[in-house]
Amino acid sequence: MYVIQFVRGFCMALADSVPGVSGGTIAFLLGFYDQFIDSIDDLISGNMEKRKKALFFLVKLGIGWVTGMVLAMLVLASVFESHIYAISSLFIGFIIFAIPIVAKEEKDTLRAKWQALPFTILGIIIVCAITYFNPVAGGEGVNLEHLTPGLGIFVFLAGMVAISAMVLPGISGSTLLLIMGLYLPIVTAIKEILHLNLSAFPAVFIFGCGVLVGAFSVVKLIRKALENFRAQTIYLIIGLMLGSIYAVIMGPTTLDVPQPAMTLKTFNVLFFIIGAVIILGMQMLKGRKEA
């Protein structure tokens, strides 16, 4: 059980660390999204028994997440830039094979409330609009070592927005950081701290506070939505995932040194297949746990 939670957290961190796919998508795919949301909410407002159970679950998940995020900051960010089309093909494999699994898991809910199908279109429009109107190419020009009050507020709000997107399946918080011009500055600042250069620590601390406030705020909203409007929420999530395919295709244009959007010529079939195999493997892992 410890290993399973570690792997879950690790996979969520890898998804959260780069633009394209959210950790919430991985949690939803592996079948513990409701437990993840409920645990965070119980940690905030549950009774003592619920808080202990939630804390135990989140600590096990968090160890894997922190491990994955540290490795991602040290390694994956540079790989993402130098092999953007291969990584993007991998993510498309994730998404395309994840969507039917999500639909299968929630088939009874979706069939009972098929009138909520327009929420899928809404989800597609949201992600495509965020991607299309992205005004930033890579996030240059923000120096977190010289923090002003205005920049501090901006970093705090960016943390709130980014974690809200990371918790939601379909929207990538890292993509939103790109849009706000903070993805590379935040990644660079975390790298520097890991190398014991603490000059950017105040900015990272403020960003972390924003992440905590955003997580606690959005989780209660998501939990209520899943409890009271589950079909509409699931249809919206599927739309967000479909829209994220466009976001991944356009991902190369948001790099520090922008590259052309993915085409059939730059699409990597091998990494697409690897993505599919990973998703199917995760589903098998979930099936073994349930057995």
Side-chain angles (χ1 to χ4, degrees), residues 116-182:
L117 185 60
F119 280 87
T120 299
I121 299 174
L122 176 62
I124 295 172
I125 292 173
I126 289 173
V127 180
C128 290
I130 290 172
T131 304
Y132 182 79
F133 293 107
N134 178 1
V136 176
E140 291 184 295
V142 179
N143 188 346
L144 296 182
E145 293 186 6
H146 303 287
L147 203 62
T148 63
L151 181 57
I153 293 172
F154 179 64
V155 169
F156 179 84
L157 294 175
M160 288 184 61
V161 172
I163 194 62
S164 299
M166 289 176 180
V167 170
L168 276 170
I171 303 180
S172 167
S174 296
T175 298
L176 294 183
L177 287 178
L178 273 173
I179 293 172
M180 292 180 281
L182 283 173

Short mmCIF file of all heavy atoms in Angstrom, two decimals, residues 116-182:
data_model
loop_
_atom_site.label_atom_id
_atom_site.label_comp_id
_atom_site.label_asym_id
_atom_site.label_seq_id
_atom_site.Cartn_x
_atom_site.Cartn_y
_atom_site.Cartn_z
N ALA A 116 -26.14 16.75 -19.65
CA ALA A 116 -25.03 17.62 -19.21
C ALA A 116 -23.87 17.61 -20.21
O ALA A 116 -22.83 18.22 -19.95
CB ALA A 116 -24.54 17.18 -17.84
N LEU A 117 -24.04 16.96 -21.34
CA LEU A 117 -22.98 16.86 -22.36
C LEU A 117 -22.40 18.22 -22.77
O LEU A 117 -21.19 18.32 -23.03
CB LEU A 117 -23.51 16.11 -23.58
CG LEU A 117 -22.49 15.82 -24.70
CD1 LEU A 117 -21.36 14.96 -24.17
CD2 LEU A 117 -23.18 15.14 -25.88
N PRO A 118 -23.21 19.29 -22.84
CA PRO A 118 -22.62 20.61 -23.21
C PRO A 118 -21.48 21.05 -22.30
O PRO A 118 -20.66 21.88 -22.70
CB PRO A 118 -23.82 21.56 -23.10
CG PRO A 118 -25.00 20.70 -23.39
CD PRO A 118 -24.68 19.37 -22.79
N PHE A 119 -21.40 20.49 -21.08
CA PHE A 119 -20.29 20.86 -20.21
C PHE A 119 -18.96 20.38 -20.78
O PHE A 119 -17.91 20.95 -20.49
CB PHE A 119 -20.51 20.28 -18.80
CG PHE A 119 -21.45 21.09 -17.96
CD1 PHE A 119 -22.83 20.87 -18.02
CD2 PHE A 119 -20.98 22.08 -17.12
CE1 PHE A 119 -23.71 21.62 -17.24
CE2 PHE A 119 -21.84 22.84 -16.34
CZ PHE A 119 -23.21 22.61 -16.41
N THR A 120 -19.00 19.32 -21.61
CA THR A 120 -17.79 18.86 -22.28
C THR A 120 -17.30 19.92 -23.25
O THR A 120 -16.10 20.23 -23.32
CB THR A 120 -18.05 17.54 -23.03
OG1 THR A 120 -18.44 16.53 -22.09
CG2 THR A 120 -16.81 17.08 -23.77
N ILE A 121 -18.24 20.49 -23.99
CA ILE A 121 -17.88 21.57 -24.94
C ILE A 121 -17.31 22.76 -24.18
O ILE A 121 -16.34 23.38 -24.62
CB ILE A 121 -19.11 21.97 -25.77
CG1 ILE A 121 -19.62 20.77 -26.57
CG2 ILE A 121 -18.79 23.14 -26.70
CD1 ILE A 121 -20.92 21.01 -27.31
N LEU A 122 -17.92 23.07 -23.04
CA LEU A 122 -17.43 24.18 -22.22
C LEU A 122 -15.99 23.92 -21.77
O LEU A 122 -15.14 24.83 -21.81
CB LEU A 122 -18.33 24.36 -21.00
CG LEU A 122 -17.90 25.43 -19.98
CD1 LEU A 122 -17.88 26.80 -20.63
CD2 LEU A 122 -18.83 25.42 -18.77
N GLY A 123 -15.70 22.70 -21.35
CA GLY A 123 -14.34 22.35 -20.92
C GLY A 123 -13.33 22.51 -22.05
O GLY A 123 -12.23 23.03 -21.85
N ILE A 124 -13.72 22.06 -23.26
CA ILE A 124 -12.83 22.21 -24.42
C ILE A 124 -12.55 23.69 -24.69
O ILE A 124 -11.40 24.10 -24.91
CB ILE A 124 -13.46 21.55 -25.66
CG1 ILE A 124 -13.56 20.03 -25.46
CG2 ILE A 124 -12.63 21.86 -26.91
CD1 ILE A 124 -14.35 19.32 -26.55
N ILE A 125 -13.61 24.49 -24.66
CA ILE A 125 -13.46 25.93 -24.94
C ILE A 125 -12.55 26.60 -23.92
O ILE A 125 -11.70 27.43 -24.28
CB ILE A 125 -14.85 26.62 -24.96
CG1 ILE A 125 -15.65 26.12 -26.16
CG2 ILE A 125 -14.70 28.14 -24.99
CD1 ILE A 125 -17.09 26.61 -26.18
N ILE A 126 -12.69 26.24 -22.64
CA ILE A 126 -11.89 26.87 -21.58
C ILE A 126 -10.40 26.65 -21.83
O ILE A 126 -9.60 27.60 -21.84
CB ILE A 126 -12.28 26.31 -20.20
CG1 ILE A 126 -13.68 26.82 -19.80
CG2 ILE A 126 -11.25 26.72 -19.15
CD1 ILE A 126 -14.22 26.18 -18.54
N VAL A 127 -10.00 25.38 -22.04
CA VAL A 127 -8.58 25.09 -22.21
C VAL A 127 -8.04 25.65 -23.51
O VAL A 127 -6.93 26.22 -23.56
CB VAL A 127 -8.32 23.56 -22.14
CG1 VAL A 127 -6.84 23.26 -22.31
CG2 VAL A 127 -8.81 23.01 -20.82
N CYS A 128 -8.82 25.52 -24.59
CA CYS A 128 -8.36 26.05 -25.88
C CYS A 128 -8.22 27.57 -25.84
O CYS A 128 -7.28 28.13 -26.41
CB CYS A 128 -9.33 25.64 -26.99
SG CYS A 128 -9.27 23.87 -27.39
N ALA A 129 -9.14 28.24 -25.15
CA ALA A 129 -9.06 29.69 -25.04
C ALA A 129 -7.84 30.12 -24.24
O ALA A 129 -7.12 31.05 -24.63
CB ALA A 129 -10.33 30.24 -24.40
N ILE A 130 -7.58 29.43 -23.13
CA ILE A 130 -6.40 29.74 -22.31
C ILE A 130 -5.13 29.56 -23.14
O ILE A 130 -4.20 30.39 -23.08
CB ILE A 130 -6.36 28.83 -21.07
CG1 ILE A 130 -7.47 29.22 -20.08
CG2 ILE A 130 -5.00 28.92 -20.37
CD1 ILE A 130 -7.61 28.27 -18.92
N THR A 131 -5.09 28.50 -23.94
CA THR A 131 -3.91 28.23 -24.75
C THR A 131 -3.78 29.22 -25.90
O THR A 131 -2.70 29.76 -26.15
CB THR A 131 -4.00 26.79 -25.32
OG1 THR A 131 -4.15 25.86 -24.26
CG2 THR A 131 -2.74 26.45 -26.11
N TYR A 132 -4.89 29.49 -26.58
CA TYR A 132 -4.86 30.35 -27.77
C TYR A 132 -4.47 31.78 -27.43
O TYR A 132 -3.72 32.44 -28.16
CB TYR A 132 -6.22 30.33 -28.46
CG TYR A 132 -6.27 31.16 -29.72
CD1 TYR A 132 -5.73 30.67 -30.91
CD2 TYR A 132 -6.82 32.43 -29.71
CE1 TYR A 132 -5.77 31.43 -32.07
CE2 TYR A 132 -6.87 33.20 -30.87
CZ TYR A 132 -6.34 32.69 -32.05
OH TYR A 132 -6.37 33.45 -33.19
N PHE A 133 -4.99 32.27 -26.30
CA PHE A 133 -4.74 33.66 -25.92
C PHE A 133 -3.52 33.83 -25.01
O PHE A 133 -3.37 34.86 -24.36
CB PHE A 133 -5.98 34.26 -25.24
CG PHE A 133 -7.14 34.40 -26.17
CD1 PHE A 133 -8.24 33.55 -26.07
CD2 PHE A 133 -7.15 35.37 -27.15
CE1 PHE A 133 -9.32 33.67 -26.93
CE2 PHE A 133 -8.22 35.50 -28.02
CZ PHE A 133 -9.31 34.65 -27.91
N ASN A 134 -2.67 32.79 -24.97
CA ASN A 134 -1.45 32.86 -24.17
C ASN A 134 -0.55 33.97 -24.71
O ASN A 134 -0.07 33.89 -25.83
CB ASN A 134 -0.71 31.51 -24.26
CG ASN A 134 0.60 31.50 -23.51
OD1 ASN A 134 0.98 32.48 -22.88
ND2 ASN A 134 1.30 30.38 -23.58
N PRO A 135 -0.32 35.02 -23.93
CA PRO A 135 0.49 36.14 -24.41
C PRO A 135 1.98 36.01 -24.15
O PRO A 135 2.76 36.87 -24.52
CB PRO A 135 -0.07 37.32 -23.60
CG PRO A 135 -0.41 36.70 -22.28
CD PRO A 135 -0.86 35.28 -22.59
N VAL A 136 2.39 34.92 -23.48
CA VAL A 136 3.78 34.81 -23.04
C VAL A 136 4.47 33.67 -23.75
O VAL A 136 3.91 32.59 -23.93
CB VAL A 136 3.83 34.56 -21.51
CG1 VAL A 136 5.27 34.35 -21.05
CG2 VAL A 136 3.21 35.73 -20.77
N ALA A 137 5.70 33.89 -24.16
CA ALA A 137 6.52 32.83 -24.75
C ALA A 137 7.63 32.48 -23.77
O ALA A 137 8.70 33.06 -23.78
CB ALA A 137 7.12 33.27 -26.08
N GLY A 138 7.36 31.55 -22.87
CA GLY A 138 8.37 31.02 -21.98
C GLY A 138 8.52 31.70 -20.65
O GLY A 138 9.08 31.15 -19.74
N GLY A 139 8.03 32.88 -20.47
CA GLY A 139 8.07 33.50 -19.16
C GLY A 139 9.36 34.21 -18.82
O GLY A 139 9.84 34.17 -17.71
N GLU A 140 9.99 34.87 -19.80
CA GLU A 140 11.21 35.62 -19.52
C GLU A 140 10.85 36.95 -18.86
O GLU A 140 9.74 37.43 -18.93
CB GLU A 140 11.95 35.89 -20.82
CG GLU A 140 12.55 34.65 -21.45
CD GLU A 140 13.36 34.98 -22.67
OE1 GLU A 140 12.77 35.46 -23.64
OE2 GLU A 140 14.59 34.78 -22.63
N GLY A 141 11.85 37.58 -18.27
CA GLY A 141 11.68 38.94 -17.82
C GLY A 141 11.24 39.10 -16.38
O GLY A 141 11.15 40.22 -15.90
N VAL A 142 10.94 38.03 -15.65
CA VAL A 142 10.54 38.12 -14.25
C VAL A 142 11.71 37.69 -13.38
O VAL A 142 12.14 36.54 -13.44
CB VAL A 142 9.30 37.25 -13.96
CG1 VAL A 142 8.93 37.35 -12.49
CG2 VAL A 142 8.14 37.67 -14.84
N ASN A 143 12.22 38.62 -12.57
CA ASN A 143 13.37 38.33 -11.71
C ASN A 143 12.88 38.17 -10.27
O ASN A 143 12.53 39.15 -9.61
CB ASN A 143 14.39 39.46 -11.81
CG ASN A 143 15.69 39.11 -11.09
OD1 ASN A 143 15.74 38.16 -10.30
ND2 ASN A 143 16.74 39.87 -11.35
N LEU A 144 12.85 36.94 -9.79
CA LEU A 144 12.33 36.67 -8.46
C LEU A 144 13.34 36.97 -7.36
O LEU A 144 13.00 36.90 -6.18
CB LEU A 144 11.87 35.20 -8.38
CG LEU A 144 10.71 34.81 -9.30
CD1 LEU A 144 10.34 33.36 -9.08
CD2 LEU A 144 9.51 35.71 -9.08
N GLU A 145 14.58 37.28 -7.72
CA GLU A 145 15.57 37.59 -6.71
C GLU A 145 15.39 39.01 -6.18
O GLU A 145 15.90 39.35 -5.11
CB GLU A 145 16.98 37.41 -7.28
CG GLU A 145 17.31 35.94 -7.59
CD GLU A 145 18.76 35.77 -8.02
OE1 GLU A 145 19.51 36.77 -7.95
OE2 GLU A 145 19.13 34.66 -8.42
N HIS A 146 14.72 39.86 -6.94
CA HIS A 146 14.46 41.24 -6.52
C HIS A 146 12.95 41.42 -6.37
O HIS A 146 12.27 41.90 -7.26
CB HIS A 146 15.04 42.23 -7.53
CG HIS A 146 16.52 42.04 -7.76
ND1 HIS A 146 17.46 42.41 -6.83
CD2 HIS A 146 17.21 41.51 -8.80
CE1 HIS A 146 18.67 42.13 -7.29
NE2 HIS A 146 18.54 41.57 -8.49
N LEU A 147 12.46 41.00 -5.22
CA LEU A 147 11.02 40.93 -4.99
C LEU A 147 10.48 42.29 -4.53
O LEU A 147 10.97 42.86 -3.56
CB LEU A 147 10.72 39.86 -3.95
CG LEU A 147 9.32 39.25 -3.93
CD1 LEU A 147 9.03 38.53 -5.24
CD2 LEU A 147 9.20 38.28 -2.76
N THR A 148 9.48 42.79 -5.23
CA THR A 148 8.79 44.01 -4.83
C THR A 148 7.44 43.62 -4.25
O THR A 148 6.97 42.49 -4.47
CB THR A 148 8.58 44.94 -6.03
OG1 THR A 148 7.72 44.28 -6.98
CG2 THR A 148 9.90 45.28 -6.71
N PRO A 149 6.78 44.51 -3.50
CA PRO A 149 5.45 44.17 -2.96
C PRO A 149 4.46 43.76 -4.06
O PRO A 149 3.71 42.79 -3.88
CB PRO A 149 5.02 45.47 -2.27
CG PRO A 149 6.30 46.12 -1.88
CD PRO A 149 7.27 45.81 -2.98
N GLY A 150 4.47 44.48 -5.17
CA GLY A 150 3.56 44.14 -6.26
C GLY A 150 3.85 42.78 -6.85
O GLY A 150 2.94 41.99 -7.11
N LEU A 151 5.14 42.48 -7.06
CA LEU A 151 5.52 41.18 -7.60
C LEU A 151 5.20 40.08 -6.60
O LEU A 151 4.78 38.98 -7.00
CB LEU A 151 7.01 41.18 -7.93
CG LEU A 151 7.58 39.88 -8.53
CD1 LEU A 151 6.84 39.50 -9.80
CD2 LEU A 151 9.08 40.02 -8.80
N GLY A 152 5.36 40.37 -5.30
CA GLY A 152 5.03 39.38 -4.28
C GLY A 152 3.56 38.99 -4.32
O GLY A 152 3.21 37.81 -4.23
N ILE A 153 2.69 39.98 -4.47
CA ILE A 153 1.25 39.72 -4.56
C ILE A 153 0.95 38.90 -5.81
O ILE A 153 0.16 37.95 -5.78
CB ILE A 153 0.46 41.04 -4.57
CG1 ILE A 153 0.60 41.75 -3.22
CG2 ILE A 153 -1.01 40.80 -4.89
CD1 ILE A 153 0.02 43.15 -3.20
N PHE A 154 1.59 39.26 -6.91
CA PHE A 154 1.39 38.53 -8.18
C PHE A 154 1.82 37.07 -8.05
O PHE A 154 1.12 36.16 -8.49
CB PHE A 154 2.18 39.23 -9.29
CG PHE A 154 2.07 38.55 -10.63
CD1 PHE A 154 0.86 38.46 -11.29
CD2 PHE A 154 3.20 38.00 -11.23
CE1 PHE A 154 0.76 37.84 -12.53
CE2 PHE A 154 3.11 37.38 -12.46
CZ PHE A 154 1.89 37.30 -13.12
N VAL A 155 2.97 36.84 -7.40
CA VAL A 155 3.48 35.47 -7.20
C VAL A 155 2.53 34.67 -6.32
O VAL A 155 2.25 33.49 -6.58
CB VAL A 155 4.90 35.51 -6.60
CG1 VAL A 155 5.33 34.12 -6.15
CG2 VAL A 155 5.89 36.06 -7.62
N PHE A 156 2.00 35.32 -5.27
CA PHE A 156 1.05 34.66 -4.37
C PHE A 156 -0.21 34.24 -5.14
O PHE A 156 -0.67 33.10 -5.03
CB PHE A 156 0.67 35.60 -3.23
CG PHE A 156 -0.32 35.02 -2.25
CD1 PHE A 156 0.11 34.21 -1.21
CD2 PHE A 156 -1.67 35.31 -2.37
CE1 PHE A 156 -0.81 33.67 -0.31
CE2 PHE A 156 -2.59 34.77 -1.48
CZ PHE A 156 -2.16 33.95 -0.44
N LEU A 157 -0.77 35.16 -5.92
CA LEU A 157 -1.97 34.86 -6.70
C LEU A 157 -1.69 33.79 -7.76
O LEU A 157 -2.53 32.93 -8.02
CB LEU A 157 -2.49 36.13 -7.37
CG LEU A 157 -3.02 37.22 -6.42
CD1 LEU A 157 -3.41 38.48 -7.19
CD2 LEU A 157 -4.22 36.70 -5.63
N ALA A 158 -0.49 33.83 -8.34
CA ALA A 158 -0.12 32.82 -9.33
C ALA A 158 -0.08 31.44 -8.69
O ALA A 158 -0.49 30.45 -9.31
CB ALA A 158 1.25 33.16 -9.94
N GLY A 159 0.42 31.36 -7.46
CA GLY A 159 0.43 30.08 -6.75
C GLY A 159 -0.98 29.55 -6.52
O GLY A 159 -1.25 28.36 -6.70
N MET A 160 -1.90 30.45 -6.15
CA MET A 160 -3.30 30.06 -5.95
C MET A 160 -3.90 29.51 -7.23
O MET A 160 -4.55 28.45 -7.24
CB MET A 160 -4.11 31.25 -5.46
CG MET A 160 -3.86 31.68 -4.03
SD MET A 160 -4.95 33.01 -3.51
CE MET A 160 -6.58 32.22 -3.68
N VAL A 161 -3.70 30.23 -8.32
CA VAL A 161 -4.29 29.84 -9.62
C VAL A 161 -3.67 28.54 -10.11
O VAL A 161 -4.37 27.63 -10.58
CB VAL A 161 -4.08 30.96 -10.66
CG1 VAL A 161 -4.50 30.49 -12.04
CG2 VAL A 161 -4.88 32.20 -10.26
N ALA A 162 -2.34 28.41 -10.00
CA ALA A 162 -1.66 27.23 -10.52
C ALA A 162 -2.08 25.96 -9.80
O ALA A 162 -2.36 24.94 -10.43
CB ALA A 162 -0.14 27.42 -10.42
N ILE A 163 -2.15 26.00 -8.46
CA ILE A 163 -2.52 24.78 -7.73
C ILE A 163 -3.98 24.43 -7.97
O ILE A 163 -4.35 23.25 -8.01
CB ILE A 163 -2.24 24.93 -6.22
CG1 ILE A 163 -2.29 23.56 -5.54
CG2 ILE A 163 -3.22 25.89 -5.56
CD1 ILE A 163 -1.25 22.58 -6.05
N SER A 164 -4.82 25.44 -8.17
CA SER A 164 -6.22 25.16 -8.50
C SER A 164 -6.32 24.37 -9.80
O SER A 164 -7.11 23.44 -9.92
CB SER A 164 -7.00 26.47 -8.61
OG SER A 164 -6.99 27.18 -7.39
N ALA A 165 -5.50 24.75 -10.77
CA ALA A 165 -5.49 24.04 -12.05
C ALA A 165 -4.88 22.66 -11.90
O ALA A 165 -5.34 21.69 -12.52
CB ALA A 165 -4.72 24.85 -13.09
N MET A 166 -3.83 22.53 -11.08
CA MET A 166 -3.19 21.22 -10.89
C MET A 166 -4.13 20.22 -10.23
O MET A 166 -4.07 19.02 -10.50
CB MET A 166 -1.92 21.38 -10.06
CG MET A 166 -0.79 22.06 -10.79
SD MET A 166 0.65 22.33 -9.73
CE MET A 166 1.79 23.13 -10.87
N VAL A 167 -4.98 20.71 -9.33
CA VAL A 167 -5.94 19.83 -8.66
C VAL A 167 -7.03 19.38 -9.62
O VAL A 167 -7.50 18.24 -9.56
CB VAL A 167 -6.55 20.54 -7.44
CG1 VAL A 167 -7.72 19.75 -6.87
CG2 VAL A 167 -5.49 20.73 -6.36
N LEU A 168 -7.43 20.25 -10.54
CA LEU A 168 -8.47 19.91 -11.50
C LEU A 168 -7.91 19.03 -12.61
O LEU A 168 -6.87 19.37 -13.19
CB LEU A 168 -9.05 21.17 -12.13
CG LEU A 168 -10.16 21.90 -11.38
CD1 LEU A 168 -10.43 23.24 -12.03
CD2 LEU A 168 -11.43 21.06 -11.35
N PRO A 169 -8.55 17.91 -12.94
CA PRO A 169 -8.11 17.13 -14.09
C PRO A 169 -8.28 17.93 -15.37
O PRO A 169 -9.27 18.62 -15.57
CB PRO A 169 -9.06 15.92 -14.08
CG PRO A 169 -9.60 15.86 -12.69
CD PRO A 169 -9.67 17.29 -12.23
N GLY A 170 -7.27 17.85 -16.24
CA GLY A 170 -7.40 18.47 -17.56
C GLY A 170 -6.61 19.73 -17.73
O GLY A 170 -5.96 19.92 -18.75
N ILE A 171 -6.65 20.64 -16.76
CA ILE A 171 -5.93 21.90 -16.88
C ILE A 171 -4.57 21.77 -16.22
O ILE A 171 -4.48 21.31 -15.09
CB ILE A 171 -6.70 23.05 -16.23
CG1 ILE A 171 -8.09 23.17 -16.83
CG2 ILE A 171 -5.96 24.36 -16.39
CD1 ILE A 171 -8.92 24.28 -16.23
N SER A 172 -3.52 22.18 -16.89
CA SER A 172 -2.18 22.12 -16.33
C SER A 172 -1.84 23.43 -15.64
O SER A 172 -1.87 24.49 -16.27
CB SER A 172 -1.15 21.84 -17.44
OG SER A 172 0.15 22.06 -16.97
N GLY A 173 -1.53 23.35 -14.35
CA GLY A 173 -1.11 24.55 -13.63
C GLY A 173 0.18 25.11 -14.18
O GLY A 173 0.39 26.33 -14.19
N SER A 174 1.07 24.23 -14.67
CA SER A 174 2.32 24.70 -15.26
C SER A 174 2.06 25.51 -16.53
O SER A 174 2.76 26.48 -16.82
CB SER A 174 3.23 23.50 -15.58
OG SER A 174 3.61 22.84 -14.39
N THR A 175 1.04 25.11 -17.29
CA THR A 175 0.68 25.88 -18.48
C THR A 175 0.22 27.27 -18.08
O THR A 175 0.56 28.27 -18.73
CB THR A 175 -0.43 25.15 -19.27
OG1 THR A 175 0.06 23.89 -19.71
CG2 THR A 175 -0.85 25.98 -20.48
N LEU A 176 -0.57 27.38 -17.01
CA LEU A 176 -1.03 28.69 -16.55
C LEU A 176 0.14 29.53 -16.06
O LEU A 176 0.16 30.76 -16.23
CB LEU A 176 -2.08 28.52 -15.45
CG LEU A 176 -3.40 27.89 -15.88
CD1 LEU A 176 -4.38 27.86 -14.72
CD2 LEU A 176 -4.01 28.64 -17.05
N LEU A 177 1.14 28.89 -15.44
CA LEU A 177 2.33 29.63 -15.04
C LEU A 177 3.09 30.16 -16.25
O LEU A 177 3.64 31.27 -16.22
CB LEU A 177 3.26 28.74 -14.20
CG LEU A 177 2.80 28.43 -12.78
CD1 LEU A 177 3.80 27.50 -12.09
CD2 LEU A 177 2.63 29.70 -11.96
N LEU A 178 3.10 29.39 -17.33
CA LEU A 178 3.69 29.87 -18.57
C LEU A 178 2.96 31.12 -19.06
O LEU A 178 3.58 32.11 -19.46
CB LEU A 178 3.61 28.79 -19.65
CG LEU A 178 4.74 27.77 -19.72
CD1 LEU A 178 4.40 26.69 -20.73
CD2 LEU A 178 6.06 28.44 -20.09
N ILE A 179 1.64 31.08 -19.01
CA ILE A 179 0.84 32.20 -19.47
C ILE A 179 1.15 33.45 -18.65
O ILE A 179 1.21 34.57 -19.17
CB ILE A 179 -0.66 31.86 -19.40
CG1 ILE A 179 -0.99 30.77 -20.42
CG2 ILE A 179 -1.53 33.10 -19.63
CD1 ILE A 179 -2.39 30.23 -20.31
N MET A 180 1.38 33.26 -17.33
CA MET A 180 1.65 34.38 -16.45
C MET A 180 3.13 34.77 -16.43
O MET A 180 3.53 35.70 -15.73
CB MET A 180 1.18 34.05 -15.02
CG MET A 180 -0.32 33.95 -14.90
SD MET A 180 -0.88 33.58 -13.22
CE MET A 180 -0.59 31.81 -13.15
N GLY A 181 3.95 34.04 -17.19
CA GLY A 181 5.36 34.37 -17.27
C GLY A 181 6.18 33.93 -16.09
O GLY A 181 7.28 34.44 -15.86
N LEU A 182 5.70 32.94 -15.33
CA LEU A 182 6.38 32.53 -14.10
C LEU A 182 6.90 31.10 -14.11
O LEU A 182 7.53 30.67 -13.14
CB LEU A 182 5.45 32.72 -12.90
CG LEU A 182 5.27 34.16 -12.40
CD1 LEU A 182 4.20 34.21 -11.31
CD2 LEU A 182 6.58 34.71 -11.87
#
